Amino acid sequence: MLSLKKSLVFLTSAALLLQVSSVAIAAEEEIEYVPLQEEVLNPLGAASVWDASTQSILFKLRNGLTGKVTVGSDKYELGTQVGSFPASVQLDGTTAMIPEDEDFIKTVNLQNASANILDIAHQPPASTIKVKATLETEASEQKGDSIDDPSVWIHPENGNKSLIIGANKKANPGGIEVYNLEGKRIGAYGVGKMNNVDVRYNFKLNGKKVDIAASTNRTTNTINIFVINPQTSELTEVTGNYLESNMEEVYGFSLYQSQRSGKMYGLITGKEGEFEQWELYDNGNGKVDGKLVRELKIGSVTEGIVADDEYGKFYVAEENVAIWKYDAEPSGGLLPEAKIDTVDGIRLTEDVEGVTIYYAKDGEGYLIASSQGSDRYVIYDRKSGKYVTTFMIEDGVIDGTSETDGIDVQSFGLGDEYPDGIFITQDNTNVEPDGSIANQNFKIVPWEDIAEGAKKKLKIENQNPRQLKARK
């Protein structure tokens, strides 16, 4: 990537000689500008977001100190102190550029090195186990980069009738696709280029509780919402009005069902680091409408996002930087609470794509992230954020996975074949037994294979996603 550093020249008039045949003379002062996030904050492991409402970059250093830089102003805030740049902060496209100031940069570096509060845990080196997929879904009907993100829906009475709902970015018909637990495609809904999909339960619509699947639609730049019929396994679209995003192109997506307020939210990420939180509600006409309740801009491209409904948090993967932890309530502010891990090639290798939550009992469980650049999946403790282990899906009767986009995990039993739940992942390169390349698909690993393969056995606990509760 070419550096964004550039010189902006400011002319200050030294004098104007108002005489015939005189020449106006201007003295030039050259001020060097640098991108604040890319060249100052990101290398330090600091957190930063763009606040569109104030045209400001808000940041948090590793010692917990917060700061603020505002476009058009030569002032900056660092904790309780206010300082001055030699000129005003500028905006180059979507990039905040600050005048290069040795005092500011030195102070930020010293403060950042003084303590480590932002990083939730000191992460150890990676250790990797190997597992094999036992099932794969039918390949996509479209060639190229089509299959993206899966989500598992649990049938309320019969786990064998549970479904895999996947997003397809090739809208012909593409859209949302539905598979049974044998991997057979049993439904396809060509509503557009769908990117990420998520499922939640007990949403109040038309006076009764229903299960919904929702997804980002890159064709219409909206959130699309479907009701899942447990009797027929069919989806019915219930997308209402007011669900069109303000960002240039929607990308990642997660649902968040608050255990505190009972409200349902859609969380969207964008290719420029945008984030929007939408409250979803019954519009009284059998459809679901939404209203934007929070927005911010993270430093760079983000896709993977997942909400922890019990703890009221969400995790977002800034693909080449870090995994961040945020308060998921709309009043939760703009800056992250903590950093789970850094994308430094040790445990996480860019791009970091999918993220998902394994719900165990009593608030225990795991956060899992796909490290696309290393074809690995990284597991962290859900409560402490501490690194647990890494696994990869190697070739077996079914081929292994590579360059994964979306993932999902389900701890609840899925009938006879998967009594301890599953891990499901997108496979970028789907290799047939004869070595030929097929279209993309999803691969499934029984959770117990991962849990029992770890050096220290992981939890195997059936947590019903319909019975979550608020936790601290």
Side-chain angles (χ1 to χ4, degrees):
M1 178 183 291
L2 294 176
S3 172
L4 292 175
K5 183 179 291 187
K6 58 175 65 179
S7 295
L8 300 180
V9 179
F10 295 86
L11 300 179
T12 57
S13 177
L16 291 176
L17 304 179
L18 302 178
Q19 298 177 359
V20 178
S21 74
S22 65
V23 179
I25 300 174
E28 291 189 356
E29 179 186 357
E30 186 173 296
I31 297 177
E32 200 77 17
Y33 271 67
V34 296
L36 174 62
Q37 289 169 293
E38 181 181 347
E39 294 199 12
V40 179
L41 298 175
N42 287 355
L44 299 177
S48 62
V49 298
W50 169 253
D51 181 5
S53 64
T54 62
Q55 293 281 290
S56 301
I57 294 289
L58 309 179
F59 60 91
K60 182 185 289 187
L61 303 179
R62 293 177 68 192
N63 68 351
L65 193 69
T66 59
K68 180 178 180 180
V69 168
T70 302
V71 171
S73 172
D74 64 352
K75 299 291 190 296
Y76 63 81
E77 298 175 17
L78 192 58
T80 59
Q81 304 299 312
V82 177
S84 296
F85 292 118
S88 297
V89 177
Q90 304 294 314
L91 191 64
D92 180 25
T94 60
T95 302
M97 309 287 293
I98 63 167
E100 195 167 41
D101 185 302
E102 290 185 5
D103 290 338
F104 172 78
I105 294 175
K106 182 179 179 180
T107 301
V108 166
N109 275 270
L110 288 173
Q111 290 287 350
N112 192 69
S114 65
N116 189 3
I117 296 172
L118 182 62
D119 287 22
I120 200 167
H122 177 68
Q123 305 294 13
S127 60
T128 302
I129 61 175
K130 296 179 180 180
V131 297
K132 293 181 173 67
T134 61
L135 184 78
E136 60 183 336
T137 63
E138 288 185 36
S140 170
E141 295 180 343
Q142 292 81 32
K143 296 182 181 297
D145 188 17
S146 56
I147 297 297
D148 195 287
D149 184 57
S151 191
V152 179
W153 171 76
I154 305 296
H155 192 278
E157 299 170 354
N158 187 344
N160 293 300
K161 295 182 179 180
S162 300
L163 303 173
I164 298 164
I165 302 174
N168 188 323
K169 294 178 289 191
K170 300 277 189 176
N172 187 27
I176 293 294
E177 299 186 334
V178 181
Y179 307 82
N180 62 22
L181 292 184
E182 296 176 351
K184 182 180 179 180
R185 184 185 299 104
I186 60 173
Y189 302 84
V191 292
K193 297 179 180 180
M194 312 305 278
N195 205 81
N196 284 179
V197 63
D198 206 3
V199 165
R200 287 298 187 277
Y201 306 89
N202 300 323
F203 180 77
K204 293 181 181 179
L205 184 66
N206 270 343
K208 61 181 181 179
K209 293 181 178 180
V210 298
D211 300 340
I212 63 170
S215 176
T216 38
N217 187 333
R218 290 166 65 177
T219 300
T220 57
N221 221 44
T222 58
I223 300 172
N224 285 53
I225 303 168
F226 305 82
V227 169
I228 305 166
N229 188 319
Q231 281 74 46
T232 64
S233 298
E234 294 178 334
L235 306 187
T236 300
E237 188 173 5
V238 291
T239 307
N241 300 314
Y242 315 115
L243 285 169
E244 184 174 354
S245 170
N246 293 327
M247 62 184 70
E248 185 173 340
E249 183 179 19
V250 295
Y251 203 27
F253 181 76
S254 174
L255 287 167
Y256 167 55
Q257 190 171 25
S258 174
Q259 302 301 302
R260 291 149 182 81
S261 67
K263 294 181 179 180
M264 187 78 75
Y265 299 94
L267 312 178
I268 310 175
T269 60
K271 288 191 174 183
E272 299 296 329
E274 306 99 325
F275 167 83
E276 293 178 353
Q277 180 166 1
W278 290 75
E279 182 182 331
L280 308 177
Y281 58 92
D282 181 350
N283 69 4
N285 297 310
K287 302 289 185 180
V288 179
D289 282 356
K291 62 179 179 180
L292 183 63
V293 293
R294 180 165 59 158
E295 60 182 328
L296 56 90
K297 185 175 183 295
I298 302 167
S300 60
V301 58
T302 58
E303 180 178 8
I305 184 171
V306 65
D308 186 327
D309 290 358
E310 291 195 319
Y311 285 106
K313 310 296 179 184
F314 73 82
Y315 300 87
V316 62
E318 189 177 358
E319 292 186 1
N320 304 324
V321 180
I323 298 175
W324 302 104
K325 178 182 180 181
Y326 282 82
D327 188 324
E329 292 297 314
S331 59
L334 302 181
L335 284 167
E337 293 183 348
K339 178 167 61 178
I340 299 301
D341 205 355
T342 302
V343 183
D344 55 8
I346 298 174
R347 291 158 303 276
L348 298 172
T349 302
E350 59 182 59
D351 301 341
V352 179
E353 293 278 345
V355 283
T356 187
I357 298 286
Y358 179 93
Y359 286 94
K361 295 180 179 178
D362 301 321
E364 302 289 334
Y366 308 102
L367 168 71
I368 308 175
S370 66
S371 176
Q372 189 179 75
S374 61
D375 302 330
R376 302 288 192 272
Y377 307 92
V378 187
I379 302 178
Y380 302 90
D381 183 85
R382 178 183 168 208
K383 292 178 69 175
S384 68
K386 185 178 180 180
Y387 171 77
V388 176
T389 192
T390 299
F391 68 96
M392 63 176 292
I393 302 174
E394 63 178 349
D395 291 338
V397 176
I398 297 171
D399 65 303
T401 58
S402 61
E403 298 182 41
T404 292
D405 277 331
I407 59 176
D408 194 23
V409 68
Q410 185 56 247
S411 63
F412 197 64
L414 299 175
D416 302 329
E417 291 297 320
Y418 305 104
D420 296 313
I422 63 172
F423 175 81
I424 180 168
T425 174
Q426 182 261 10
D427 183 19
N428 183 70
T429 306
N430 182 23
V431 183
E432 298 282 38
D434 63 3
S436 62
I437 305 299
N439 293 342
Q440 294 177 344
N441 69 351
F442 297 114
K443 301 292 197 294
I444 294 174
V445 179
W447 174 254
E448 65 268 22
D449 290 358
I450 300 168
E452 294 174 353
K455 290 182 179 179
K456 183 179 180 181
K457 186 176 177 180
L458 306 182
K459 293 180 181 297
I460 302 177
E461 296 181 350
N462 274 222
Q463 171 63 57
N464 191 332
R466 289 182 170 85
Q467 297 175 0
L468 303 182
K469 63 181 183 180
R471 300 185 186 277
K472 296 181 179 179

